[in-house]
Amino acid sequence: MTQTPADNVRLQREPFDASAELARVKSASLSVGGVVLFVGVVRDFSQGRGVTRLLFEHFPGMAEAKLAELRAAAIERFGLIDMVVVHRFGELAPGDDIVLIAAAAEHRAAAFEGCSWCIDELKKIVPIWKKEHAPDGAVWLEAHP
């Protein structure tokens, strides 16, 4: 199955299917020996207060381009075979999935390193903003914990 980078980098409102994304990245090559799958989830508590929901907004076009750059950089830097990055936007409730990163490599070390690096860089450079809603009000978060 031949895939384009656009298939493997998406921002979407609807939930993603982790099993389908795992199958997508595994199908890249029979040389895949390990896949590390990270799924970020909305918590009900953050920075000392309860959380009732999160709102994610993004800069359309630019956010996808930055995700594609991250994917390409991770593949090159860690020698990955393939990578999938999916991030949701809109309102999400505690327990909802936010982001999925699946890094496929010949060996587990590269997959772990590539996946960890990608989520850290995503939080630094991709124009996605998070507004945290709590019983006592809402606040836009500048830093990513």
Side-chain angles (χ1 to χ4, degrees):
M1 175 184 213
T2 304
Q3 298 172 5
T4 65
D7 294 330
N8 290 350
V9 175
R10 297 187 314 280
L11 276 112
Q12 61 190 46
R13 186 175 299 278
E14 64 277 358
F16 49 77
D17 180 345
S19 294
E21 301 306 334
L22 176 60
R24 176 191 303 274
V25 76
K26 283 175 60 178
S27 73
S29 170
L30 292 177
S31 295
V32 171
V35 177
V36 171
L37 182 68
F38 170 79
V39 176
V41 180
V42 178
R43 295 178 303 229
D44 66 352
F45 194 81
S46 177
Q47 300 181 23
R49 62 188 216 154
V51 173
T52 58
R53 70 184 193 276
L54 295 179
L55 172 66
F56 287 92
E57 292 188 1
H58 68 288
F59 191 110
M62 184 182 288
E64 291 88 347
K66 285 293 186 186
L67 288 176
E69 287 174 22
L70 277 179
R71 177 183 176 271
I75 289 170
E76 182 176 332
R77 182 174 183 160
F78 299 99
L80 302 178
I81 293 171
D82 203 0
M83 176 176 268
V84 171
V85 183
V86 182
H87 201 296
R88 295 181 62 198
F89 63 89
E91 285 198 0
L92 302 176
D96 287 347
D97 295 335
I98 304 165
V99 60
L100 174 141
I101 298 173
E106 287 184 27
H107 302 285
R108 69 182 177 270
F112 274 106
E113 291 169 1
C115 189
S116 179
W117 179 85
C118 188
I119 189 62
D120 289 345
E121 291 299 306
L122 183 155
K123 288 176 168 254
K124 292 178 193 173
I125 68 167
V126 178
I128 298 174
W129 302 279
K130 178 168 59 173
K131 187 176 190 178
E132 199 171 74
H133 291 264
D136 61 344
V139 61
W140 285 101
L141 300 178
E142 293 184 32
H144 297 284

